[in-house]
Amino acid sequence: MSTSTPSTPIPPEDPQRRASQTHVHVEGAAPAAPTPGATAKPVRRARKDPAKHRFTRRALLAGGVGLVAATGGTGAWAYDRFVRDKVEVADVSAAETAAGVSTVTSTDVAYTATGYTSSTTTITLTSTATGTGSEALAWYAADIQVSDATLIRSAFAHDEFGQSITDKPSTMASDNNAVLAINGDYYGFRDTGIVIRNGVAYRDEPARDGLAIYTDGRIALYDETSTSADELLADGVWNTLSFGPAVLVDGQVPDGIEDVEVDTNVGNHSIQGEQPRTAIGVIGDNHLVFLVVDGRSEGYSRGVGLPELGEILQGLGCTAGYNLDGGGSSVMIFDGKIINQPSNGGERATSDIVYIAG
């Protein structure tokens, strides 16, 4: 992967067609019928055995869970809140199919060591290392241009929506044939936020600033508390992310972002200080950046605070930037391989990924 200035990206071809946006909620009700005239071409995902998944998680946690259960009260609450699977939608692929979600297919696919091109997509990868010793810093950026915004997709662990359902990002990427993937917002850690993924609404609990990706190519920051999932779907939103904060607004790093709290749940780690980070930056319509900054490794990469994260995105040509789940979750996967160095010494199981479809 190059450490020099990125080469000029090859412009993607003009869009051949636009995918239809279906206005539908799946939470608590059967999906609505497809939009008239929409061509349903569902995303097909390889399914893992959920029973095996749950058994593995419980086997690994057995000792700790026994101790927690023995404490009663707070321990039982913590187990229910952070460990026990709470499946609300058991087959996300089926929900997308029922909603009439359609997708675009890429042709003329070509991978290189520093990127990817196809009839619909251009990805240019760069890696950057600065400083030495305690000031060493390393990050990985993917400059992405797509001809159709529905190529920017999300996937849930085990193709299920709910709380405390996790899997390795590399597995989710493989199951969905992702060209490029980063960890998402770890929606399953909380029960708030607006969650719209691949044109289907799963949660409508406005709580914070979010990021919205529209089918017409727009990518925008927005205030969840000023709208609803239905209104966003009606306006053409394809995907939302709910974590934050925004680290770049109108080309500038906002004041006070170092004091923002995303959640105040028991067990939630602070998002402040120098940490590994994952972010999405916006350059223009259908033009974005996936960014992963490594951290917690002196001599390799110290991590960054939120203002510095915004400054990196600014230097990459972005006018808007949004912070996603970070720390041990931060990971970037290209062509099936993890290209950064996660701080846990390996990838951490999470709720979801954001990826570019081939």
Side-chain angles (χ1 to χ4, degrees):
M1 205 175 309
S2 172
T3 59
S4 59
T5 303
S7 58
T8 303
I10 303 171
E13 295 182 8
D14 291 335
Q16 299 299 311
R17 55 182 168 149
R18 290 285 179 185
S20 298
Q21 173 74 30
T22 302
H23 305 179
V24 58
H25 275 286
V26 300
E27 188 175 70
T35 301
T39 302
K41 191 175 183 182
V43 180
R44 298 296 184 188
R45 299 185 176 94
R47 299 297 308 280
K48 296 182 67 176
D49 182 352
K52 181 178 179 181
H53 148 64
R54 295 189 183 99
F55 173 80
T56 301
R57 292 183 68 235
R58 280 158 175 73
L60 291 172
L61 293 167
V65 169
L67 178 61
V68 167
T71 65
T74 302
W77 173 87
Y79 171 77
D80 181 72
R81 176 68 179 81
F82 299 113
V83 179
R84 183 174 67 84
D85 288 357
K86 301 176 185 176
V87 178
E88 298 174 41
V89 179
D91 192 332
V92 167
S93 292
E96 291 181 8
T97 300
V101 172
S102 59
T103 62
V104 173
T105 301
S106 301
T107 58
D108 302 321
V109 171
Y111 285 88
T112 69
T114 58
Y116 167 92
T117 59
S118 73
S119 60
T120 60
T121 306
T122 300
I123 299 172
T124 303
L125 296 171
T126 56
S127 62
T128 302
T130 64
T132 59
S134 61
E135 292 302 309
L137 184 64
W139 70 81
Y140 300 80
D143 184 296
I144 304 159
Q145 295 185 73
V146 295
S147 63
D148 192 298
T150 63
L151 291 162
I152 308 166
R153 298 181 192 160
S154 174
F156 296 135
H158 300 281
D159 204 33
E160 297 174 337
F161 174 82
Q163 289 181 263
S164 303
I165 306 166
T166 63
D167 201 359
K168 290 183 177 180
S170 62
T171 300
M172 287 183 266
S174 175
D175 287 350
N176 291 276
N177 301 313
V179 174
L180 175 75
I182 53 174
N183 60 286
D185 61 10
Y186 212 148
Y187 82 89
F189 181 80
R190 62 193 65 82
D191 56 9
T192 59
I194 293 179
V195 181
I196 298 173
R197 303 294 174 88
N198 303 343
V200 178
Y202 295 91
R203 180 184 291 161
D204 190 7
E205 297 292 340
R208 58 188 67 87
D209 289 338
L211 182 75
I213 300 170
Y214 293 76
T215 55
D216 64 7
R218 289 178 292 147
I219 307 171
L221 303 166
Y222 78 104
D223 178 2
E224 290 181 341
T225 64
S226 67
T227 186
S228 69
D230 282 334
E231 290 174 315
L232 291 169
L233 285 171
D235 197 32
V237 168
W238 170 247
N239 273 299
T240 63
L241 293 163
S242 182
F243 197 90
V247 295
L248 196 62
V249 179
D250 295 329
Q252 301 299 316
V253 177
D255 292 333
I257 57 174
E258 62 273 15
D259 298 322
V260 171
E261 289 186 348
V262 174
D263 292 299
T264 55
N265 294 320
V266 173
N268 185 43
H269 296 291
S270 170
I271 66 168
Q272 307 307 329
E274 293 185 338
Q275 308 287 354
R277 304 283 182 183
T278 301
I280 291 180
V282 182
I283 296 177
D285 290 357
N286 284 330
H287 192 180
L288 67 161
V289 170
F290 285 178
L291 174 68
V292 168
V293 183
D294 281 340
R296 301 176 183 168
S297 180
E298 185 172 349
Y300 165 62
S301 189
R302 58 181 166 80
V304 294
L306 293 171
E308 192 173 3
L309 183 66
E311 291 168 0
I312 293 174
L313 290 171
Q314 188 181 56
L316 292 170
C318 300
T319 59
Y322 190 74
N323 178 57
L324 295 176
D325 184 31
S329 298
S330 289
V331 68
M332 182 178 286
I333 299 157
F334 175 66
D335 192 18
K337 301 177 181 64
I338 297 173
I339 63 175
N340 70 309
Q341 296 184 32
S343 64
N344 285 353
E347 63 184 317
R348 173 190 183 188
T350 61
S351 299
D352 57 317
I353 59 170
V354 182
Y355 72 97
I356 305 301

